[in-house]
Every structure is written in structure tokens, then in C-alpha cells.
Amino acid sequence: MEFLSMRGAFSRPSRAVRSARLVSPRPYALVLLSLLALSGCSLFRSPPPPAEIVEAVPDFVASEPEAASAPEAASEPEPASGVKPVPRKPRPAPVRRPRPAPPPPVPASAPPARPPAPLVQTRTLERGTFRTLLDGEVQKTDGKVVGRAVDMIAGPGGKPAEVIVNLQGFMGVGDRKANFPWSGVHVNVQPKTPAITLALPPNLQAPPQAAPTEASATRLPMLDATVERSNGAKIGRVVDVLLDGSADPLAVVLDVSGTLEKRHTIAADWAALHFVTKNNTLAAQLDMSDQQVDASPAYVADQPVRAVTPSAATATAAAPAASAAPATSAAAPARGAK
């Protein structure tokens, strides 16, 4: 019995072995079983891994890099057979909104309008800094009261010239008016004291006689004098004069009320008066319109006095309007006329 030669199996037995098998079959059977057992173990071995086949890769000569080709557009996937493609919704065209126009530049704020110029200017005179002329007590240097002041005579340019005193007699009998030079007048600003002190010269033994009270080219009695505009229109009449401690006039109190109006008085600054000779008579003028008179604060006794002066801007504007007043002054009653 022959055995095939296998990788890992034993070679064929020799002749001696074969003869031994024929002579004694029992030992041969044992050997055969041993060989079968050994050959069975070799049959179950894993075969060796096959040898790796290495292919020769030919060497290529390095060539210049090829220019990169543009990428191919991705092809849309073909729809499956028998299935209708879903129609795509058309994309709306992009709406380009116009850019908003830049806001207009903010205009520069206009400067605030200037308030209108006041019609009149005022100067406050506190009580205790002046005394009123009318009915002010007059005393001599020894303190004896001799009468009351009733008027003041103004000369050219408005300079005070004389004071008229009503000298008192006994029990009102023998009262008479006398004129004294203004150079002897001293004003007392303290309240509750005689307003005027007369310092008479020593050679003046008897009081002088009263001078005429009519106006002339060089004399103007101030009390009840008419103050008018340059065109002749009447403004009012003088009812009092305010004097400071130096015996200088500060203001005149004017009665500017109309015919049917309640009495209305204002204080006009003495510096605003103009003294001119008109028709050979000294007259006092004031460049003040009716609107300025109405805008002037009222004169109130025992209160601070606000002496008014016409504003320069409004006074020049009122001059043309005042020039037309004579044509209508005859038809309309003047302010303050009685």
C-alpha cells in the first residue's frame, strides 16, 4: 500500500519495513496507526502565507506641473426613471432698495430776535434824596419859618434864577409873595424838616417885593408852565419841581391827563427838557410822543420816583410824526388841555 507524499508527511517506507509488515502484521498496524496520527496533525496545519509579489514600478521622469483645469460644474442629478421632477420655485429677483438720502444739514439757529428798544428810559430817585418845591417850608438861618415856596423862576438854559416865597403874616393877614435869589437857597433832604433854608445877604434888611410872574424872554415861572413838543403840541403842565441837596432841579412833575381822563402825572427828567425862546418868550419843550407818555410810570407820592427820558431811537422816529401834528391839533384837543 502506497502513500502519497504530502508537504510535511513522511517519505515512503523502505523495503525492510514492507517486509516486516508482511511478516508481522500486528506491529505494522501499530506503526500505521502512529503514522496516521502524525500525518493527521500535519494535515490540520495552516498553510504558510504566499510570498508577496512585488511588481517593478518603472521610474518616471519628473515633468513640469500641469496647469490646474477649471473645476467642472456639478451636474445636477438625473431624475429617476418614471418619476417627474419637482418644479423648482422661481427665486424672486433681489430687490435693491435705494439708499436713504442723507438728512439735510441742520440750519444754523437764527440768533434770538432782539427785544424792541424801550420807549423811555427811567432813573430812580429814592425818597430821602430829594425834596419837592411846591409848598415846601422856608426858614431863615436861625430856624424861624417865614413862609412856603410857591414857584421857581428858570432862566435861559433852564438854570434856576429865583425862588418865590409866600411870606406869612399874622393869622394869615398880610401874606405876600417875595422873590429871593436862588443863590441863597439851601435844600434840606431830611424829611420832616423845612425844605428850604434862605441864607439872605446881611445888607438885605427887608424882603424884596414880588416880581412879575409872567414869562419873558429870560424868565419862565415853572409852576403851571406848559411843556410842549417842538411842533407846538402840548404834552402837559408842570405841577411840581424835585430838588436835590445841592438845590439843583432833578425832575419836573407833569400833569398829562386828558380832558375827560382821571388825573395822571409823570416825572420827566430835568435833563430831557429844552428851554428855547419862542415868540420872544422862554418856553420848555420835551421830545416825547403820546406812546412814550403812556409808557411812562406814574408819579406816586411817598414812593420812589422814576424820572423818565425819551429813548434816543424812538425820539428820532417820533420827530417825523410830530411834524404832521399842527395840521390836526386844531381839530383835536391837546393832551392836558382844560
Side-chain angles (χ1 to χ4, degrees):
M1 184 173 180
E2 297 180 358
F3 296 93
L4 297 174
S5 63
M6 300 176 62
R7 181 178 297 182
F10 295 98
S11 62
R12 292 182 180 184
S14 61
R15 291 181 179 180
V17 175
R18 289 196 301 264
S19 62
R21 292 175 180 174
L22 295 176
V23 175
S24 56
R26 187 173 294 179
Y28 179 80
L30 294 174
V31 173
L32 182 60
L33 292 172
S34 302
L35 293 175
L36 289 173
L38 295 173
S39 63
C41 294
S42 63
L43 288 175
F44 290 102
R45 287 180 182 177
S46 59
E52 295 181 358
I53 301 174
V54 180
E55 297 180 359
V57 180
D59 296 336
F60 294 97
V61 180
S63 60
E64 297 181 357
E66 297 180 359
S69 59
E72 297 181 358
S75 59
E76 298 181 356
E78 296 181 358
S81 59
V83 179
K84 293 183 179 181
V86 179
R88 291 185 177 182
K89 295 181 179 180
R91 294 181 178 180
V95 178
R96 294 184 178 181
R97 297 181 178 179
R99 292 182 178 180
V106 179
S109 58
R114 293 182 179 181
L119 296 177
V120 293
Q121 298 176 352
T122 61
R123 180 173 61 133
T124 303
L125 306 177
E126 296 292 342
R127 294 286 175 174
T129 61
F130 66 91
R131 295 297 293 269
T132 59
L133 173 69
L134 184 61
D135 288 337
E137 288 187 330
V138 179
Q139 66 179 358
K140 294 193 299 185
T141 55
D142 59 1
K144 182 181 179 180
V145 176
V146 295
R148 292 181 179 271
V150 293
D151 207 344
M152 182 188 78
I153 305 298
K159 184 178 180 180
E162 297 175 355
V163 59
I164 301 178
V165 180
N166 186 24
L167 298 175
Q168 62 186 8
F170 180 75
M171 299 293 291
V173 178
D175 292 353
R176 62 187 180 91
K177 294 180 180 179
N179 292 26
F180 296 91
W182 194 263
S183 58
V185 173
H186 299 277
V187 176
N188 307 316
V189 295
Q190 293 82 8
K192 298 181 179 181
T193 59
I196 297 175
T197 301
L198 283 176
L200 299 178
N203 57 356
L204 188 60
Q205 298 299 330
Q209 296 294 325
T213 58
E214 293 80 8
S216 64
T218 58
R219 295 166 52 87
L220 176 63
M222 292 303 301
L223 272 298
D224 286 334
T226 299
V227 178
E228 57 186 21
R229 302 185 182 96
S230 57
N231 60 359
K234 183 178 178 180
I235 297 177
R237 65 183 183 91
V238 179
V239 295
D240 209 341
V241 179
L242 308 182
L243 305 173
D244 63 5
S246 301
D248 293 328
L250 294 176
V252 291
V253 181
L254 297 177
D255 183 1
V256 295
S257 55
T259 306
L260 301 178
E261 296 178 5
K262 185 179 179 180
R263 185 176 183 183
H264 177 55
T265 56
I266 64 173
D269 200 303
W270 184 269
L273 297 177
H274 305 287
F275 292 85
V276 298
T277 302
K278 184 178 181 181
N279 299 328
N280 202 23
T281 303
L282 191 63
Q285 294 181 352
L286 179 62
D287 296 330
M288 181 178 285
S289 64
D290 290 343
Q291 292 79 7
Q292 292 172 327
V293 172
D294 295 337
S296 301
Y299 172 83
V300 181
D302 300 330
Q303 291 187 8
V305 177
R306 288 181 289 174
V308 299
T309 301
S311 298
T314 54
T316 55
S323 61
T328 58
S329 59
R335 180 187 291 268
K338 290 186 179 181

